[in-house]
């Protein structure tokens, strides 16, 4: 009973279903059905991922500020929490001339404080991504044929421990992070099944679990994150 989040420049969140889920609601909310392994369906939603941060980094680099990822995580960790939120999937963040300006304009338009420092901008991005993941997961679970107990985060974004913790806090569920190279590993294992080296999909997944180190994150500060989500969810 799991959902997955493929986390990178763009994110994909979904479930593995025995068949497609096609309703007026899935159409209106832009959830999609993709063919999966062994006749399953990947029912998922496309979400903006680290794109917003990457565009901000490019602007900072032009200003001579070359923040490393460890520095960026530390910046977010030391900034004041829950000051402002953005909707990462708002059209204004698709490809603006200036991502920093787009964040400022969104906060003004939604009557929120404008982040006054680079560290506050990073904190806003990370918290907003985590809250957007909760919003998508809540809808996903309402349409899922089963309860969702855990979120598996894979891809390059699974290495961001702070965002993983924020995500666990926001969704109120256990998060398991890793592997970061899930696409390549999955490709290899499906070839192994096709070649008869591995007997089944279940066996392939057991091999991956035994071979790859993952990390678990449990929800913290639930009340504060629930209040933050209410503000985020009500953004116009």
């Amino acid at each position: 009973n799991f959902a997955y989040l493929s986390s990178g420049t763009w994110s994909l969140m979904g479930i593995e279903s025995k068949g497609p889920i096609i309703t007026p609601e899935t159409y209106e909310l832009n959830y999609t059905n993709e063919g999966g392994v062994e006749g399953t369906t990947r029912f998922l939603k496309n979400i903006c991922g680290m794109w917003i941060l990457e565009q901000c980094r490019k602007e900072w680099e032009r200003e001579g500020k070359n923040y490393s990822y460890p520095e960026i995580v530390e910046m977010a960790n030391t900034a004041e929490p829950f000051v402002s939120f953005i909707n990462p999937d708002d059209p204004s963040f698709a490809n603006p001339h200036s991502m920093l300006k787009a964040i400022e304009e969104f906060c003004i338009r939604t009557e929120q404080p404008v982040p006054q420092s680079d560290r506050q901008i990073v904190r806003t991005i990370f918290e907003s991504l985590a809250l957007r993941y909760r919003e998508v997961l809540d809808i996903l679970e309402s349409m899922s044929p089963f309860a969702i107990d855990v979120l598996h985060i894979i891809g390059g974004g699974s290495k961001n421990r702070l965002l993983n913790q924020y995500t666990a806090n926001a969704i109120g569920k256990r998060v398991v992070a890793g592997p970061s190279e899930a696409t390549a590993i999955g490709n290899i294992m499906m070839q192994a099944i096709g070649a008869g080296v591995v007997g089944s999909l279940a066996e392939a997944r057991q091999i991956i679990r035994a071979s790859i180190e993952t990390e678990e994150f449990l929800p913290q500060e639930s009340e504060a994150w629930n209040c933050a989500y209410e503000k985020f969810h009500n953004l116009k």
Side-chain angles (χ1 to χ4, degrees):
N1 285 14
F2 69 91
Y4 62 84
L5 173 64
S6 179
S7 177
T9 302
W10 307 102
S11 296
L12 300 171
M13 180 182 284
I15 59 171
E16 189 178 64
S17 172
K18 291 182 179 179
I21 302 173
I22 304 172
T23 67
E25 186 180 20
T26 64
Y27 172 78
E28 290 295 332
L29 295 173
N30 203 25
Y31 283 67
T32 188
N33 294 275
E34 297 182 356
V37 63
E38 294 189 355
T40 57
T41 297
R42 294 191 308 135
F43 180 66
L44 60 89
K45 172 76 172 175
N46 289 274
I47 313 170
C48 183
M50 302 305 291
W51 161 257
I52 295 175
L53 177 61
E54 290 167 6
Q55 295 304 105
C56 290
R57 288 184 75 197
K58 289 180 181 179
E59 291 187 56
W60 288 328
E61 286 172 3
R62 289 195 290 268
E63 298 172 359
K65 296 182 286 189
N66 297 298
Y67 299 128
S68 66
Y69 255 100
E71 287 175 323
I72 284 174
V73 169
E74 181 60 23
M75 288 164 63
N77 200 29
T78 56
E80 185 179 352
F82 308 134
V83 174
S84 306
F85 306 109
I86 60 171
N87 178 358
D89 287 325
D90 189 88
S92 62
F93 301 119
N95 191 24
H97 178 71
S98 167
M99 189 64 76
L100 296 174
K101 186 69 174 176
I103 292 172
E104 176 185 337
E105 291 175 348
F106 183 90
C107 290
I108 292 172
R109 173 160 52 90
T110 53
E111 300 180 346
Q112 300 181 89
V114 174
Q116 296 299 308
S117 65
D118 296 349
R119 70 179 60 246
Q120 198 64 59
I121 289 171
V122 177
R123 180 88 183 209
T124 295
I125 293 171
F126 281 7
E127 288 178 344
S128 298
L129 279 173
L131 293 167
R132 177 60 175 156
Y133 292 155
R134 171 174 173 175
E135 190 169 54
V136 173
L137 185 63
D138 282 353
I139 297 171
L140 184 68
E141 189 164 25
S142 73
M143 296 186 287
S144 170
F146 52 82
I148 296 171
D149 300 327
V150 58
L151 176 67
H152 286 270
I153 300 181
I154 59 175
S158 67
K159 295 180 179 180
N160 190 327
R161 299 184 73 254
L162 184 63
L163 181 56
N164 292 341
Q165 185 61 62
Y166 284 178
T167 301
N169 296 350
I171 68 174
K173 299 179 187 291
R174 182 168 61 100
V175 164
V176 178
S180 59
E181 298 296 340
T183 301
I185 293 169
N187 187 305
I188 290 167
M189 294 310 297
M190 289 311 300
Q191 292 187 59
I193 292 173
V197 179
V198 176
S200 67
L201 180 61
E203 183 184 349
R205 287 177 169 166
Q206 288 175 352
I207 291 170
I208 294 171
R209 275 194 292 270
S211 305
I212 304 297
E213 186 175 347
T214 59
E215 186 173 7
E216 290 194 3
F217 298 84
L218 300 178
Q220 301 173 359
E221 304 172 350
S222 297
E223 185 175 349
W225 278 89
N226 285 336
C227 292
Y229 179 67
E230 187 173 344
K231 294 178 182 177
F232 171 86
H233 190 63
N234 290 327
L235 287 177
K236 301 300 181 183

